[in-house]
Amino acid sequence: MEVIKELPEVFEEFAEQRKNSFLAMKQLKDKGIPVVGAYCTYFPKEIATAMGAATVGLCSTSDETITEAEKDLPKNLCPLIKSSYGFAKADKCPFFYFSDVVVGETTCDGKKKMYEYMSEFKDVFLMELPNTQSEEALKLWKSEIIRFKEYLEKKFEVTITEDDIRKAIHEENKVRKSLKRFYEVMKHDPAPITGMDQFKVLYGSGFKFDRTAIPAEVDGIVEKIEREYAEGKMLNKRPRILLTGCPVGGASEKVIKAIEENGGVVVTYENCSGAKSIDKLVDEENPDVYDALARRYIDIGCSVMTPNPNRLELLDRLIDEYKVDGVVEMTLQACHTYNVETLGIRRFVNEKKGIPYINVETDYSQADIGQLNTRITAFLEML
């Protein structure tokens, strides 16, 4: 069997998308197009795109600015928060620099307090995210989405109509459908591509500002993968891994590398940059656009929700659909909600699904790569 040879340039283009987008972002600003930056999968981007704004993800995944952040923030805080704040404070993130407003959300205590400090040097709009998925919580979240719309209207002196929002919902649903078709190629066994190449497209797509162009581009990649798979181009048979836990990207890609360089293949991602953010569409038949958006976003199965059945429901489906042999959970140090939830995930994977599970706790340094390789190699050999 042969590994795909002709697609890497496409995957690299997506991998470089974040860097390439720095220039594209400046061009947008020169044209007077508003830019809205955000840090979380709960961000209802359709409201911003409905007014013609570009949206961009600001989460930073490098330890480059953590020392700067630790001048203000505790050392024993989650590296994602410290990195995000450090890049903002040190002005080392072009996306943050060009954002007219940054949208935060009350997901965890660390981020909530970090946004307070960030608001001292940037316009920050904080959305009050409930920590449950009850009907009462839905009412609050819907009112927050409406409050966000009204904030944008006032700040940018525009009117955002419900028709504008419907159009934005339709366009973003098309993007989700295409990305879902793309990650579903990994249902093939053996896998057609590596999980790292799959991740490059999923992560890189968030930095393409012309959302309407994404479906055709991604559909073209899917067609090429399927055609080459039919011709026999695929990976050798490997243990099939589901990666779950904290957001992956940048420095934490070391976990994907540890899995794939030691004989496994990541066939599906349950975390924020994977299925969690793409799996469900906004209901376009719902006459109330704010209710439709509120229901879709509040249903995301993040560990900040109590209880969190939607994460287990998604894990359940992914393990079956992708014929998963083992689950690797990556948690970041001091990410309390995900670290506490590892017990429930381990029980679910071991007892309900009957497959092996391992949790690796890490940060954004490269100091633990040797240990990561040792632990993951032993886990893969057990499979």
Side-chain angles (χ1 to χ4, degrees), residues 130-171:
N131 61 6
T132 71
Q133 291 159 330
S134 65
E135 283 299 311
E136 284 305 308
L138 179 70
K139 288 177 192 170
L140 169 61
W141 189 230
K142 177 182 170 182
S143 72
E144 285 296 281
I145 290 173
I146 294 169
R147 188 171 70 88
F148 176 46
K149 182 208 71 132
E150 291 169 349
Y151 167 84
L152 292 179
E153 288 180 320
K154 185 175 179 183
K155 179 176 176 63
F156 295 99
E157 297 179 344
V158 293
T159 301
I160 302 171
T161 69
E162 291 191 11
D163 282 344
D164 293 333
I165 297 170
R166 276 192 196 89
K167 187 181 174 194
I169 288 171
H170 181 67
E171 291 299 339

Side-chain angles (χ1 to χ4, degrees), residues 173-235:
N173 271 347
K174 285 203 291 191
V175 173
R176 291 186 185 106
K177 286 174 188 172
S178 288
L179 289 172
K180 194 170 182 182
R181 277 195 294 272
F182 168 68
Y183 74 66
E184 284 178 346
V185 301
M186 298 301 266
K187 288 183 179 180
H188 286 301
D189 189 10
I193 57 174
T194 66
M196 181 59 86
D197 282 339
Q198 181 193 31
F199 180 77
K200 286 173 184 173
V201 175
L202 293 173
Y203 186 67
S205 65
F207 298 98
K208 286 186 177 278
F209 303 129
D210 182 3
R211 306 297 287 172
T212 60
I214 295 175
E217 196 170 347
V218 173
D219 289 348
I221 297 172
V222 173
E223 286 164 22
K224 187 161 181 147
I225 292 171
E226 294 289 5
R227 186 170 64 249
E228 294 190 356
Y229 195 81
E231 293 165 1
K233 294 181 181 178
M234 58 191 72
L235 303 182

Side-chain angles (χ1 to χ4, degrees), residues 1-4 186 188-197 229 232-240 260 263-267:
M1 288 186 186
E2 183 185 354
V3 179
I4 287 185
M186 298 301 266
H188 286 301
D189 189 10
I193 57 174
T194 66
M196 181 59 86
D197 282 339
Y229 195 81
K233 294 181 181 178
M234 58 191 72
L235 303 182
N236 293 321
K237 182 82 174 140
R238 302 178 182 188
R240 298 168 65 82
E260 303 208 316
V265 57
V266 181
V267 291

